[in-house]
Amino acid sequence: MVVNKKGFLRILEAVLAILIVIGFLFVLSINRVQKPESKLGEDIPALLDEIAKNDDMRRDVVSYDGSDEAEKERIINELESFLAERVKSGVSFSVRICKPDEPCPIQEVIDGDEEIFSGERIISSARGVGYNPAKVKIFLWR
């Protein structure tokens, strides 16, 4: 009977060792699968650069003088459709156009637990349009 007890303990010891190794490998594989999320704030400068380099959007932003609200909505809708193609899914955004010396607060109502990232760029001139600088501000949140 003593002989059977030693064999049982060895089998139990081997099973426990295999379970520990499998558990360790499982933990390592989970850590590899998760991709680190980029911060939303890192995406904003590239988006603003694309807007500044696009001649049509640049001309629209600079030509807006603040008097025609319908024209401002058209420009903002164009900017929002441009951003919708480039912003990751699950991320909400907003765009504002203001004078360079004015603040550009966000106008959307956002839950208190949201983390909001913003960036702005002054666009000062475009071909065929006089000097009329404007500030474009982008807000991103999840």
Side-chain angles (χ1 to χ4, degrees), residues 63-120:
S63 66
Y64 175 69
D65 62 0
S67 61
D68 186 7
E69 199 61 36
E71 180 68 11
K72 182 176 183 178
E73 286 301 315
R74 183 193 66 79
I75 295 169
I76 287 181
N77 287 338
E78 182 179 325
L79 290 172
E80 286 178 345
S81 66
F82 174 81
L83 291 174
E85 297 172 0
R86 288 159 177 80
V87 173
K88 299 171 190 168
S89 63
V91 176
S92 299
F93 61 89
S94 176
V95 181
R96 295 283 319 272
I97 300 173
C98 306
K99 297 293 178 191
D101 57 346
E102 295 176 357
C104 278
I106 189 168
Q107 293 183 332
E108 281 76 10
V109 177
I110 299 172
D111 294 336
D113 60 345
E114 303 270 350
E115 193 172 17
I116 303 170
F117 295 89
S118 69
E120 61 188 29

Side-chain angles (χ1 to χ4, degrees), residues 18-137:
I18 290 172
L19 288 175
I20 289 172
V21 170
I22 289 174
F24 182 73
L25 292 175
F26 183 71
V27 168
L28 285 179
S29 69
I30 288 176
N31 288 339
R32 268 191 218 158
V33 172
Q34 294 176 349
K35 296 178 184 176
E37 289 187 17
S38 66
K39 295 210 176 228
L40 292 177
E42 295 172 358
D43 298 339
I44 294 175
L47 294 170
L48 289 168
D49 284 344
E50 284 189 62
I51 291 171
K53 290 177 183 176
N54 185 313
D55 287 335
D56 293 333
M57 283 190 279
R58 184 180 188 90
R59 187 176 306 107
D60 284 345
V61 169
V62 173
S63 66
Y64 175 69
D65 62 0
S67 61
D68 186 7
E69 199 61 36
E71 180 68 11
K72 182 176 183 178
E73 286 301 315
R74 183 193 66 79
I75 295 169
I76 287 181
N77 287 338
E78 182 179 325
L79 290 172
E80 286 178 345
S81 66
F82 174 81
L83 291 174
E85 297 172 0
R86 288 159 177 80
V87 173
K88 299 171 190 168
S89 63
V91 176
S92 299
F93 61 89
S94 176
V95 181
R96 295 283 319 272
I97 300 173
C98 306
K99 297 293 178 191
D101 57 346
E102 295 176 357
C104 278
I106 189 168
Q107 293 183 332
E108 281 76 10
V109 177
I110 299 172
D111 294 336
D113 60 345
E114 303 270 350
E115 193 172 17
I116 303 170
F117 295 89
S118 69
E120 61 188 29
R121 179 157 185 169
I122 295 178
I123 298 179
S124 58
S125 64
R127 290 183 214 142
V129 179
Y131 182 73
N132 184 26
K135 179 172 31 175
V136 176
K137 190 163 188 176

